[in-house]
Amino acid sequence: MSPNALIPSHRKPRRSASSRALRAGVTGGFLTLAVTGAAVPANAADKPVAETQELPTITTALTVDLAESADATQQVAEVYERQAAQDKAASTAAKAAKKDKAEAEQKAAEAKKKAAEAKKKAAEALETRASRSADRTDLTGGGSADSGSDASTPSTGATGSTATLLSFLRAQVGKAYVMGATGPSAYDCSGLTQAAFRQIGIELPRVSQSQSTAGTQVGLSNLQVGDILYWGGAGSAYHVGVYVGNGNFIGAQNSSTGVVERPLSYDMPTGAVRVL
């Protein structure tokens, strides 16, 4: 018998060794770990433990998922960016439209105002024309001022040479105005007055400038039948006519009207001279 056969061992029994394996994988985008162990016999305690670990790997599927997620994020960002640009453009267009509308309304109001003013002026012009037309009628209501008929002309009480002068002048009413004409079918202003006064033996200068100084200057408030009326300055008159009483005068006015009888208010003369 061995001397050591009865001596108990003081060594603690070793626990069963285990062999563990660590595995890792990716499932559905999450990292999973699994630990597996297997019991080994006690007599294998002195053997080294073999452990294996598998590190996570990035698979092709994960790469695709990440890329698709990045693309989706980029697309959403682009959508928001386009929407923001569209909203800004719409806001700018709305402001511009509002401004254009305000300007159009202002222009319409101005045009309406101008049209009203033009209408008012036209009405005033018609009223003035009607007033002048009324002034052309005989101041005593005896007939038209343009009429050459003695029956329709109020009596002035003229006699002698003055009556002859008036009779001749009224007989010329309605005849044509022609520059430089002295009758008998047409006259200019000074040609008519010269021909009229020649009927009573008074020879006047040929032109209106000279006729405006041919006699004694008289005031327009002190006119008598037969006084020569002039328009413009004395000695530089541009038109002449003859006062025939009742506030009227006869003269060869212009190529449009010819020889007419008109009230003084139609075209107030500047002055007058008396030769009778």
Side-chain angles (χ1 to χ4, degrees):
M1 174 180 281
S2 171
N4 296 327
L6 298 177
I7 299 174
S9 174
H10 295 284
R11 296 179 63 181
K12 294 181 180 181
R14 293 183 179 180
R15 294 180 181 178
S16 298
S18 63
S19 176
R20 296 181 179 86
L22 178 63
R23 297 179 181 277
V26 177
T27 304
F30 293 93
L31 181 65
T32 59
L33 299 176
V35 179
T36 59
V40 297
N43 58 3
D46 293 333
K47 294 180 179 181
V49 177
E51 295 183 354
T52 61
Q53 294 181 346
E54 293 184 6
L55 296 178
T57 58
I58 299 176
T59 65
T60 303
L62 178 59
T63 304
V64 172
D65 289 344
L66 292 174
E68 290 178 350
S69 177
D71 290 342
T73 303
Q74 179 66 27
Q75 290 176 1
V76 170
E78 291 177 355
V79 168
Y80 283 137
E81 185 177 357
R82 285 197 299 270
Q83 185 62 44
Q86 291 175 357
D87 292 344
K88 183 177 180 181
S91 177
T92 302
K95 290 180 180 179
K98 185 176 181 180
K99 182 179 179 181
D100 291 343
K101 181 180 179 182
E103 291 178 351
E105 290 177 349
Q106 182 179 359
K107 289 181 180 180
E110 292 176 353
K112 185 176 180 181
K113 182 179 179 181
K114 289 181 179 180
E117 291 176 353
K119 185 177 181 181
K120 182 179 178 181
K121 289 182 180 180
E124 290 175 351
L126 288 174
E127 184 177 354
T128 301
R129 185 178 298 176
S131 177
R132 281 190 173 184
S133 179
D135 288 341
R136 294 174 189 176
T137 60
D138 181 50
L139 297 179
T140 63
S144 170
D146 289 343
S147 174
S149 171
D150 291 340
S152 62
T153 303
S155 174
T156 60
T159 58
S161 58
T162 302
T164 302
L165 177 68
L166 294 183
S167 178
F168 176 83
L169 287 170
R170 289 200 169 101
Q172 311 313 307
V173 171
K175 291 184 178 181
Y177 174 97
V178 176
M179 180 67 72
T182 57
S185 59
Y187 300 90
D188 64 11
C189 63
S190 56
L192 176 64
T193 54
Q194 184 185 52
F197 279 90
R198 186 176 291 149
Q199 303 302 311
I200 58 175
I202 297 176
E203 193 65 35
L204 293 177
R206 172 64 185 88
V207 296
S208 58
Q209 292 90 339
S210 300
Q211 289 181 9
S212 64
T213 58
T216 303
Q217 296 287 329
V218 295
L220 296 178
S221 60
N222 191 34
L223 293 175
Q224 294 181 3
V225 176
D227 287 345
I228 298 174
L229 307 174
Y230 62 85
W231 286 257
S236 60
Y238 59 85
H239 185 65
V240 290
V242 180
Y243 182 67
V244 295
N246 297 310
N248 293 346
F249 72 91
I250 291 177
Q253 289 297 99
N254 52 58
S255 58
S256 298
T257 61
V259 179
V260 292
E261 182 175 350
R262 297 284 170 82
L264 294 177
S265 59
Y266 175 80
D267 188 8
M268 188 62 67
T270 306
V273 292
R274 185 167 298 158
V275 295
L276 291 178

